[in-house]
Structures are given as C-alpha cells and as structure tokens.
Amino acid sequence: MKIVYWSSRSENTHRFVEKLKNENIRLPINGTTSITIVDPYILILPSYGDTKETAIPSVVKNFLSNEVNRNNLIGVIGGGNTDFGAKFCYAAKAVSYFYNVKLLHMFELSGTTTDVDIVQNIIQTESRKRK
C-alpha cells in the first residue's frame, strides 16, 4: 500500500512518514503536480488553513482533482497540534468529508511509536483487503 503525503515547512508529517518505512510519494510543498497514482493509496497530511475552503492545501486539491487519484484514495490520516483545538487535523477531516473517504487516524506533531504502530497496522489491513 502506497502512502502519498504532503508536508508543510515544519516537516512533522515528513518525519512521521519516514518512521513508517513504507513506499511513499511526497507531493511538492507549492505549485502543481502531475502525479497519477494508479493503485490504492492512503493520503497523509497535516493541519492546514482556518476554514473549510482553505483547510486542504492547493497542491493536494490539485492532486485530487485528477479522477484517477480521487478514485484510488482509500483513506486519509491527519497530523497536527492539539493546541489547534477544533482545527486539529482539519485538513484530513476536510478531505474525509469532501472526498467521502475514511479518516483512518490522527496523530500529534511527528507522531509517537504508538501512532507508527497503529498506522502500520492500518496499512497492512487495507493492503489485505485489496488482495
């Protein structure tokens, strides 16, 4: 199971994804992307924006505007800081809502070893479902 992720300049999401030791594709911080993912994947992204309209980074919106990418998205995992209160993992919650996929897990900052174990189990479970 591939991981596609977007990480802000804080790099917390990047550090978390590195701990997973899983095949991954990083979306660029800015600009557009022409990446197409033809297999099922999980999207990981940090909290972002203050409103429903700005919660999903434009690079991620662009990536998900590709029908193939949208159709192969099986779930989303969010990172963030609990200091954000209701905005904790806001981008992942917005992706889950707008793209009708499961919010699989939420972690704080760059995640704990428990978060890594949980996400590795999610990856294994989702991979088995698709075999």
Side-chain angles (χ1 to χ4, degrees):
M1 175 75 49
K2 285 184 182 157
I3 297 293
V4 174
Y5 75 101
W6 183 84
S7 186
S8 64
R9 295 196 195 301
S10 74
E11 294 288 308
N12 284 327
T13 304
H14 175 70
R15 283 190 288 280
F16 179 77
V17 170
E18 283 185 325
K19 293 177 199 177
L20 296 173
K21 300 187 185 318
N22 197 76
E23 181 180 359
N24 64 71
I25 297 168
R26 182 176 184 168
L27 300 176
I29 288 182
N30 299 329
T32 61
T33 180
S34 60
I35 297 169
T36 299
I37 308 298
V38 296
D39 297 310
Y41 69 94
I42 294 171
L43 178 65
I44 302 178
L45 67 161
S47 297
Y48 190 82
D50 290 329
T51 66
K52 287 181 185 175
E53 292 75 27
T54 62
I56 303 171
S58 60
V59 171
V60 176
K61 282 183 188 176
N62 173 265
F63 172 75
L64 292 173
S65 71
N66 176 319
E67 185 177 4
V68 175
N69 293 339
R70 219 174 27 258
N71 291 338
N72 285 309
L73 173 62
I74 61 164
V76 62
I77 295 171
N81 187 326
T82 54
D83 288 349
F84 296 163
K87 305 289 181 174
F88 175 64
C89 296
Y90 203 40
K93 292 173 186 175
V95 167
S96 174
Y97 176 79
F98 288 117
Y99 296 94
N100 196 31
V101 294
K102 287 187 215 174
L103 178 59
L104 299 168
H105 186 66
M106 297 184 293
F107 62 91
E108 186 168 23
L109 302 174
S110 59
T112 64
T113 54
T114 300
D115 290 313
V116 170
D117 291 343
I118 289 168
V119 171
Q120 286 173 332
N121 285 331
I122 289 168
I123 292 167
Q124 290 172 0
T125 300
E126 293 299 329
S127 292
R128 280 193 298 269
K129 285 181 185 178
R130 275 134 186 87
K131 287 189 178 181

